[in-house]
Amino acid sequence: MPDRPCLCDTTYIHEGKRAGSTDGDDWIRPVLKQGLADAISTRFFRPSAELAPYFSSYYLIEFAVSPGETVTDWLHPEWANIRFSEDGNWSIGSGGEFHALPPIVGTGPTSRTISFRVNGPTRIWGVGILPRGWVRLMDAPANVMADRTLACTPDSPYAPFAELRERTFGEEPDAIAEAQRIDQTMQELLAIRPPQLDEPRIGSIHRRLFDSELASVTDLAEKIGMSSRSLERICLRAFGFPPKLLLRRQRFLRSLSQYLLDPTQTWIKTLDENYVDQAHFVRDFQKFMGMSPSCYAALEHPVLGSATRTRTITAGAPVQALHRP
């Protein structure tokens, strides 16, 4: 991993259902080396219908590994997330060094990879926050929190989620009951936060990001019917990044997700139609993942490989940033 700044103090931690299921529960065990196939499971749960514009999914990763055994993977760029661990034995890395995380953290929208490590058995829940959810629930603009992971405390920007961990876990593990408690908490949060005036335009921008024919910010602004300046202002506040970077990130993730779904493919077969050539893609890969495609392919992805396939079946999109609002 390349050397990147890691801001570590008391607040900042890092800078840088089966289809047809009636209970919403779905999981698939990944096919991995070293026996991890039987040690890691991923489950995705759909939020209630009224929450769908604001949250992509709730997800549970269970690590039934031996005490002292470590599992490492690399997160791709995504929208904001709240994550919390039952046992707290997890960390994130930058520049090859890993730093312990508190039990519950919030991560703003990201434009670069985050490496993470779990040491020993644990259960980790995550809540994916879409751009409309960010402006509805968060007082800070998304670009201020972009590419940062912070502890969720009552005096942090993630204060609305500070009690989520305590409200979710029970005396015994119960994924369905825990997902229901998360959903109930999100409903309560939305009930006390009024809709924002920009929400309709944020939804329009979000939907247009899925138009693979859009090649420029000018095209996007024309489709939305607003000036480039207004478009950039809303994108920074709700999406975390300027529209040019958002379009570039979507193009990259469309390609990366195809590889994650089928790692037997060559990179050239996964390239989005907007890439000029493979060298163009390699430059984007280096920017967003901090390594070359060949380096990434040589690594095991015990969590993200499984989660991509599971998420496609359950939520209809291989990665969170490709989740249609």
Side-chain angles (χ1 to χ4, degrees):
M1 297 292 295
D3 189 15
R4 287 185 177 137
C6 186
L7 194 58
C8 294
D9 57 28
T10 57
T11 303
Y12 289 95
I13 307 303
H14 173 85
E15 188 165 354
K17 310 160 189 135
R18 185 164 311 171
S21 170
T22 57
D23 59 24
D25 179 19
D26 185 26
W27 61 286
I28 294 177
R29 293 193 183 277
V31 178
L32 302 166
K33 302 174 185 177
Q34 302 176 353
L36 289 181
D38 295 323
I40 302 173
S41 69
T42 58
R43 309 184 189 198
F44 283 80
F45 299 79
R46 292 179 181 271
S48 299
E50 64 270 25
L51 300 178
Y54 305 99
F55 303 98
S56 55
S57 66
Y58 316 132
Y59 50 94
L60 171 65
I61 309 173
E62 296 177 292
F63 297 84
V65 298
S66 302
E69 183 178 4
T70 61
V71 178
T72 303
D73 212 332
W74 288 259
L75 296 172
H76 43 66
E78 55 189 356
W79 302 128
N81 283 268
I82 305 297
R83 297 184 176 97
F84 48 99
S85 170
E86 189 171 45
D87 300 309
N89 50 355
W90 58 338
S91 57
I92 56 175
S94 177
E97 296 183 3
F98 283 82
H99 304 269
L101 288 171
I104 178 168
V105 296
T107 301
T110 56
S111 65
R112 54 198 184 200
T113 187
I114 299 174
S115 54
F116 69 95
R117 177 170 292 171
V118 171
N119 184 17
T122 192
R123 303 169 75 242
I124 297 174
W125 272 103
V127 176
I129 306 174
L130 296 174
R132 282 183 64 183
W134 183 278
V135 298
R136 180 78 176 264
L137 295 172
M138 305 293 292
D139 294 325
N143 64 306
V144 175
M145 296 294 106
D147 288 315
R148 290 179 173 178
T149 296
L150 289 74
C152 289
T153 61
D155 59 350
S156 77
Y158 294 101
F161 306 97
E163 298 181 0
L164 181 58
R165 179 176 178 271
E166 286 70 22
R167 296 188 61 172
T168 298
F169 291 123
E171 293 184 4
E172 297 292 334
D174 186 334
I176 296 174
E178 290 165 355
Q180 290 172 341
R181 289 194 284 269
I182 292 173
D183 197 73
Q184 179 62 35
T185 300
M186 297 305 108
Q187 292 185 50
E188 293 172 5
L189 289 178
L190 238 63
I192 61 176
R193 302 284 293 199
Q196 301 296 297
L197 292 177
D198 278 341
E199 281 191 37
R201 290 198 292 180
I202 292 168
S204 296
I205 295 169
H206 197 170
R207 288 188 291 272
R208 285 295 179 182
L209 289 177
F210 292 90
D211 186 349
S212 60
E213 295 183 359
L214 289 178
S216 70
V217 175
T218 300
D219 291 343
L220 177 58
E222 289 179 353
K223 292 288 187 180
I224 300 299
M226 66 174 62
S227 68
S228 296
R229 183 176 180 180
S230 296
L231 175 63
E232 178 149 350
R233 176 183 61 81
I234 293 178
C235 283
L236 290 174
R237 177 178 174 234
F239 297 82
F241 304 104
K244 183 176 181 180
L245 181 56
L246 290 173
L247 290 173
R248 185 179 178 184
R249 192 183 74 160
Q250 290 295 104
R251 177 183 64 195
F252 169 72
L253 288 173
R254 286 195 294 266
S255 299
L256 178 63
S257 64
Q258 292 306 306
Y259 173 80
L260 288 171
L261 288 171
D262 182 6
T264 64
Q265 296 184 88
T266 60
W267 287 112
I268 195 68
K269 292 183 178 180
T270 71
L271 294 191
D272 184 79
E273 60 188 17
N274 288 311
Y275 278 113
V276 176
D277 52 28
Q278 191 167 356
H280 187 193
F281 171 69
V282 170
R283 288 194 295 272
D284 269 6
F285 207 106
Q286 188 69 46
K287 172 178 176 56
F288 291 116
M289 299 302 295
M291 65 184 82
S292 68
S294 59
C295 178
Y296 181 85
L299 299 168
E300 281 196 282
H301 299 284
V303 178
L304 271 297
S306 168
T308 300
R309 296 186 292 273
T310 308
R311 199 183 192 290
T312 300
I313 294 173
T314 307
V319 298
Q320 186 205 23
L322 299 183
H323 179 95
R324 292 183 180 272

PDB file of all heavy atoms in Angstrom, residues 305-323:
ATOM      1  N   GLY A 305     -14.857 -10.102  -2.022  1.00  0.00           N
ATOM      2  CA  GLY A 305     -15.262 -11.021  -3.076  1.00  0.00           C
ATOM      3  C   GLY A 305     -16.622 -11.631  -2.791  1.00  0.00           C
ATOM      4  O   GLY A 305     -17.508 -11.671  -3.646  1.00  0.00           O
ATOM      5  N   SER A 306     -16.805 -12.109  -1.572  1.00  0.00           N
ATOM      6  CA  SER A 306     -18.089 -12.676  -1.170  1.00  0.00           C
ATOM      7  C   SER A 306     -19.171 -11.617  -1.122  1.00  0.00           C
ATOM      8  O   SER A 306     -20.293 -11.816  -1.609  1.00  0.00           O
ATOM      9  CB  SER A 306     -17.954 -13.335   0.204  1.00  0.00           C
ATOM     10  OG  SER A 306     -19.218 -13.653   0.735  1.00  0.00           O
ATOM     11  N   ALA A 307     -18.857 -10.457  -0.537  1.00  0.00           N
ATOM     12  CA  ALA A 307     -19.863  -9.418  -0.371  1.00  0.00           C
ATOM     13  C   ALA A 307     -20.380  -8.926  -1.712  1.00  0.00           C
ATOM     14  O   ALA A 307     -21.567  -8.607  -1.854  1.00  0.00           O
ATOM     15  CB  ALA A 307     -19.278  -8.253   0.427  1.00  0.00           C
ATOM     16  N   THR A 308     -19.516  -8.855  -2.724  1.00  0.00           N
ATOM     17  CA  THR A 308     -19.943  -8.394  -4.041  1.00  0.00           C
ATOM     18  C   THR A 308     -20.990  -9.317  -4.632  1.00  0.00           C
ATOM     19  O   THR A 308     -22.018  -8.872  -5.143  1.00  0.00           O
ATOM     20  CB  THR A 308     -18.728  -8.297  -4.985  1.00  0.00           C
ATOM     21  OG1 THR A 308     -17.778  -7.374  -4.437  1.00  0.00           O
ATOM     22  CG2 THR A 308     -19.149  -7.814  -6.359  1.00  0.00           C
ATOM     23  N   ARG A 309     -20.739 -10.611  -4.554  1.00  0.00           N
ATOM     24  CA  ARG A 309     -21.693 -11.572  -5.116  1.00  0.00           C
ATOM     25  C   ARG A 309     -22.987 -11.591  -4.313  1.00  0.00           C
ATOM     26  O   ARG A 309     -24.091 -11.635  -4.862  1.00  0.00           O
ATOM     27  CB  ARG A 309     -21.053 -12.965  -5.171  1.00  0.00           C
ATOM     28  CG  ARG A 309     -19.859 -13.041  -6.114  1.00  0.00           C
ATOM     29  CD  ARG A 309     -19.343 -14.459  -6.248  1.00  0.00           C
ATOM     30  NE  ARG A 309     -18.736 -14.952  -5.023  1.00  0.00           N
ATOM     31  CZ  ARG A 309     -17.458 -14.774  -4.703  1.00  0.00           C
ATOM     32  NH1 ARG A 309     -16.664 -14.083  -5.512  1.00  0.00           N
ATOM     33  NH2 ARG A 309     -16.961 -15.272  -3.596  1.00  0.00           N
ATOM     34  N   THR A 310     -22.853 -11.568  -2.996  1.00  0.00           N
ATOM     35  CA  THR A 310     -24.031 -11.579  -2.136  1.00  0.00           C
ATOM     36  C   THR A 310     -24.876 -10.338  -2.363  1.00  0.00           C
ATOM     37  O   THR A 310     -26.097 -10.399  -2.466  1.00  0.00           O
ATOM     38  CB  THR A 310     -23.614 -11.645  -0.655  1.00  0.00           C
ATOM     39  OG1 THR A 310     -22.708 -12.730  -0.474  1.00  0.00           O
ATOM     40  CG2 THR A 310     -24.816 -11.836   0.247  1.00  0.00           C
ATOM     41  N   ARG A 311     -24.226  -9.191  -2.439  1.00  0.00           N
ATOM     42  CA  ARG A 311     -24.940  -7.933  -2.593  1.00  0.00           C
ATOM     43  C   ARG A 311     -25.679  -7.870  -3.926  1.00  0.00           C
ATOM     44  O   ARG A 311     -26.775  -7.304  -4.021  1.00  0.00           O
ATOM     45  CB  ARG A 311     -23.954  -6.767  -2.483  1.00  0.00           C
ATOM     46  CG  ARG A 311     -24.627  -5.451  -2.180  1.00  0.00           C
ATOM     47  CD  ARG A 311     -23.660  -4.297  -2.152  1.00  0.00           C
ATOM     48  NE  ARG A 311     -24.282  -3.124  -1.588  1.00  0.00           N
ATOM     49  CZ  ARG A 311     -25.230  -2.421  -2.193  1.00  0.00           C
ATOM     50  NH1 ARG A 311     -25.646  -2.778  -3.398  1.00  0.00           N
ATOM     51  NH2 ARG A 311     -25.771  -1.376  -1.605  1.00  0.00           N
ATOM     52  N   THR A 312     -25.079  -8.429  -4.973  1.00  0.00           N
ATOM     53  CA  THR A 312     -25.725  -8.428  -6.280  1.00  0.00           C
ATOM     54  C   THR A 312     -27.062  -9.160  -6.233  1.00  0.00           C
ATOM     55  O   THR A 312     -28.074  -8.696  -6.768  1.00  0.00           O
ATOM     56  CB  THR A 312     -24.806  -9.080  -7.327  1.00  0.00           C
ATOM     57  OG1 THR A 312     -23.584  -8.332  -7.400  1.00  0.00           O
ATOM     58  CG2 THR A 312     -25.465  -9.100  -8.698  1.00  0.00           C
ATOM     59  N   ILE A 313     -27.081 -10.294  -5.550  1.00  0.00           N
ATOM     60  CA  ILE A 313     -28.308 -11.084  -5.454  1.00  0.00           C
ATOM     61  C   ILE A 313     -29.327 -10.407  -4.553  1.00  0.00           C
ATOM     62  O   ILE A 313     -30.521 -10.325  -4.866  1.00  0.00           O
ATOM     63  CB  ILE A 313     -27.980 -12.495  -4.931  1.00  0.00           C
ATOM     64  CG1 ILE A 313     -27.132 -13.253  -5.952  1.00  0.00           C
ATOM     65  CG2 ILE A 313     -29.261 -13.266  -4.618  1.00  0.00           C
ATOM     66  CD1 ILE A 313     -26.615 -14.575  -5.455  1.00  0.00           C
ATOM     67  N   THR A 314     -28.871  -9.885  -3.435  1.00  0.00           N
ATOM     68  CA  THR A 314     -29.773  -9.357  -2.424  1.00  0.00           C
ATOM     69  C   THR A 314     -30.249  -7.950  -2.724  1.00  0.00           C
ATOM     70  O   THR A 314     -31.439  -7.652  -2.640  1.00  0.00           O
ATOM     71  CB  THR A 314     -29.079  -9.358  -1.047  1.00  0.00           C
ATOM     72  OG1 THR A 314     -28.575 -10.667  -0.793  1.00  0.00           O
ATOM     73  CG2 THR A 314     -30.050  -8.959   0.049  1.00  0.00           C
ATOM     74  N   ALA A 315     -29.308  -7.065  -3.060  1.00  0.00           N
ATOM     75  CA  ALA A 315     -29.627  -5.645  -3.222  1.00  0.00           C
ATOM     76  C   ALA A 315     -29.639  -5.189  -4.680  1.00  0.00           C
ATOM     77  O   ALA A 315     -29.969  -4.034  -4.943  1.00  0.00           O
ATOM     78  CB  ALA A 315     -28.639  -4.801  -2.419  1.00  0.00           C
ATOM     79  N   GLY A 316     -29.263  -6.065  -5.593  1.00  0.00           N
ATOM     80  CA  GLY A 316     -29.361  -5.724  -6.999  1.00  0.00           C
ATOM     81  C   GLY A 316     -28.187  -4.949  -7.562  1.00  0.00           C
ATOM     82  O   GLY A 316     -28.218  -4.528  -8.718  1.00  0.00           O
ATOM     83  N   ALA A 317     -27.129  -4.762  -6.793  1.00  0.00           N
ATOM     84  CA  ALA A 317     -25.942  -4.054  -7.272  1.00  0.00           C
ATOM     85  C   ALA A 317     -24.711  -4.646  -6.600  1.00  0.00           C
ATOM     86  O   ALA A 317     -24.738  -4.968  -5.414  1.00  0.00           O
ATOM     87  CB  ALA A 317     -26.031  -2.569  -6.959  1.00  0.00           C
ATOM     88  N   PRO A 318     -23.604  -4.805  -7.338  1.00  0.00           N
ATOM     89  CA  PRO A 318     -22.423  -5.455  -6.759  1.00  0.00           C
ATOM     90  C   PRO A 318     -21.697  -4.624  -5.715  1.00  0.00           C
ATOM     91  O   PRO A 318     -21.068  -5.175  -4.823  1.00  0.00           O
ATOM     92  CB  PRO A 318     -21.527  -5.718  -7.979  1.00  0.00           C
ATOM     93  CG  PRO A 318     -21.982  -4.712  -8.996  1.00  0.00           C
ATOM     94  CD  PRO A 318     -23.446  -4.514  -8.766  1.00  0.00           C
ATOM     95  N   VAL A 319     -21.752  -3.288  -5.819  1.00  0.00           N
ATOM     96  CA  VAL A 319     -21.095  -2.416  -4.851  1.00  0.00           C
ATOM     97  C   VAL A 319     -22.057  -1.295  -4.495  1.00  0.00           C
ATOM     98  O   VAL A 319     -22.969  -0.957  -5.246  1.00  0.00           O
ATOM     99  CB  VAL A 319     -19.759  -1.840  -5.388  1.00  0.00           C
ATOM    100  CG1 VAL A 319     -18.766  -2.952  -5.665  1.00  0.00           C
ATOM    101  CG2 VAL A 319     -19.988  -1.003  -6.635  1.00  0.00           C
ATOM    102  N   GLN A 320     -21.807  -0.682  -3.330  1.00  0.00           N
ATOM    103  CA  GLN A 320     -22.752   0.315  -2.824  1.00  0.00           C
ATOM    104  C   GLN A 320     -22.907   1.519  -3.751  1.00  0.00           C
ATOM    105  O   GLN A 320     -24.000   2.041  -3.943  1.00  0.00           O
ATOM    106  CB  GLN A 320     -22.296   0.793  -1.443  1.00  0.00           C
ATOM    107  CG  GLN A 320     -23.296   1.724  -0.755  1.00  0.00           C
ATOM    108  CD  GLN A 320     -22.632   2.637   0.253  1.00  0.00           C
ATOM    109  OE1 GLN A 320     -21.441   2.900   0.161  1.00  0.00           O
ATOM    110  NE2 GLN A 320     -23.395   3.129   1.202  1.00  0.00           N
ATOM    111  N   ALA A 321     -21.813   1.994  -4.344  1.00  0.00           N
ATOM    112  CA  ALA A 321     -21.890   3.170  -5.192  1.00  0.00           C
ATOM    113  C   ALA A 321     -22.663   2.909  -6.481  1.00  0.00           C
ATOM    114  O   ALA A 321     -23.031   3.845  -7.186  1.00  0.00           O
ATOM    115  CB  ALA A 321     -20.493   3.682  -5.517  1.00  0.00           C
ATOM    116  N   LEU A 322     -22.916   1.644  -6.800  1.00  0.00           N
ATOM    117  CA  LEU A 322     -23.731   1.295  -7.974  1.00  0.00           C
ATOM    118  C   LEU A 322     -25.162   0.936  -7.585  1.00  0.00           C
ATOM    119  O   LEU A 322     -25.931   0.454  -8.412  1.00  0.00           O
ATOM    120  CB  LEU A 322     -23.087   0.148  -8.747  1.00  0.00           C
ATOM    121  CG  LEU A 322     -21.683   0.424  -9.316  1.00  0.00           C
ATOM    122  CD1 LEU A 322     -21.193  -0.782 -10.112  1.00  0.00           C
ATOM    123  CD2 LEU A 322     -21.662   1.692 -10.175  1.00  0.00           C
ATOM    124  N   HIS A 323     -25.506   1.174  -6.322  1.00  0.00           N
ATOM    125  CA  HIS A 323     -26.865   0.935  -5.842  1.00  0.00           C
ATOM    126  C   HIS A 323     -27.768   2.049  -6.355  1.00  0.00           C
ATOM    127  O   HIS A 323     -27.550   3.224  -6.081  1.00  0.00           O
ATOM    128  CB  HIS A 323     -26.884   0.903  -4.307  1.00  0.00           C
ATOM    129  CG  HIS A 323     -28.229   0.687  -3.722  1.00  0.00           C
ATOM    130  ND1 HIS A 323     -28.692  -0.556  -3.346  1.00  0.00           N
ATOM    131  CD2 HIS A 323     -29.231   1.558  -3.444  1.00  0.00           C
ATOM    132  CE1 HIS A 323     -29.917  -0.438  -2.856  1.00  0.00           C
ATOM    133  NE2 HIS A 323     -30.259   0.831  -2.919  1.00  0.00           N
TER     134      HIS A 323
END
